[in-house]
Amino acid sequence: MTELQIRGKAEVVAGLFDPRDDWPFEARALRDELLQTYGTADMLPDVAGGWIARWPSVNTRCTYARGFRVCEEYVRGRGGHVLAAGFPLADAFARHLETAPTLHRVRGGRCGEMAPTGKPRSDASRANLLSACSSFYTHTVHARAAEADPWLLRSWLPASAMTAVAVPTALAHASLCAAMTATAKARGASHSKIPPDG
């Protein structure tokens, strides 16, 4: 009779399916990019990747990932962390967008090389970017709540975004979300609503 062999925890974990493998290309690309800066110990790559993965449209995923990169670079360039940002930084970012040049392709440059040489964003473009930021922070608050019961918010989170994430500063996220929403509304912009699951 053959004896049952119990595998060690490391062996079991190594063989598990990683749900991030099912993420759309845009979500995986953003996560991989953020991993180069933040590493695997930081939850930002998973939180941001999961947020991008939940959008059904390729265009929305590309637009929101591009907008997130603008926000992340701004926050990091000022010594902050996106998951710990508060109202003052959100307000400063919104004002920064009013004069910041947009990225344009560099003629004769490397493939995909961009430089900040374009005109500042229009009111509508700034509103869309702030809407993306607001959506990201709303997502982090929901992801934080889902830690206690990942099935509780299944109606809000699609299967592609069902990743266990730890966001220790949910209160700061909610504050920044509200700040960005208020800033955009003060400029006469409307925000996108969270898309339905599907």
Side-chain angles (χ1 to χ4, degrees):
M1 182 175 181
T2 305
E3 291 185 15
L4 291 175
Q5 302 257 338
I6 301 197
R7 293 184 294 169
K9 183 178 178 182
E11 295 177 86
V12 175
V13 171
L16 290 178
F17 167 73
D18 187 340
R20 294 170 297 199
D21 292 341
D22 278 348
W23 282 358
F25 169 78
E26 301 80 15
R28 287 183 280 115
L30 179 61
R31 178 180 183 269
D32 291 346
E33 183 180 317
L34 292 172
L35 281 173
Q36 294 178 14
T37 301
Y38 295 91
T40 56
D42 194 295
M43 296 311 297
L44 180 60
D46 282 341
V47 172
W51 166 63
I52 291 297
R54 65 183 298 273
W55 295 93
S57 161
V58 173
N59 287 339
T60 301
R61 291 196 299 267
C62 288
T63 300
Y64 273 25
R66 187 166 51 246
F68 177 81
R69 287 181 177 97
V70 173
C71 178
E72 187 277 326
E73 287 174 8
Y74 175 85
V75 172
R76 181 164 42 89
R78 280 144 187 81
H81 191 292
V82 173
L83 294 180
F87 174 78
L89 191 57
D91 189 54
F93 175 63
R95 284 186 281 107
H96 162 76
L97 292 179
E98 294 176 359
T99 57
T102 52
L103 295 176
H104 278 213
R105 295 192 188 283
V106 176
R107 286 189 178 183
R110 298 183 313 274
C111 180
E113 184 178 359
M114 308 282 275
T117 57
K119 293 181 180 179
R121 291 169 179 81
S122 65
D123 290 349
S125 180
R126 288 198 312 274
N128 286 338
L129 200 155
L130 291 174
S131 176
C133 294
S134 178
S135 169
F136 170 74
Y137 284 97
T138 299
H139 171 79
T140 63
V141 172
H142 281 80
R144 175 66 179 88
E147 276 182 25
D149 180 359
W151 304 110
L152 181 65
L153 298 176
R154 177 57 186 90
S155 62
W156 186 83
L157 291 170
S160 58
M162 289 295 291
T163 305
V165 292
V167 187
T169 53
L171 197 54
H173 305 160
S175 170
L176 186 54
C177 174
M180 289 185 163
T181 300
T183 301
K185 283 185 178 176
R187 291 174 168 75
S190 60
H191 282 328
S192 303
K193 294 188 181 289
I194 294 173
D197 184 20

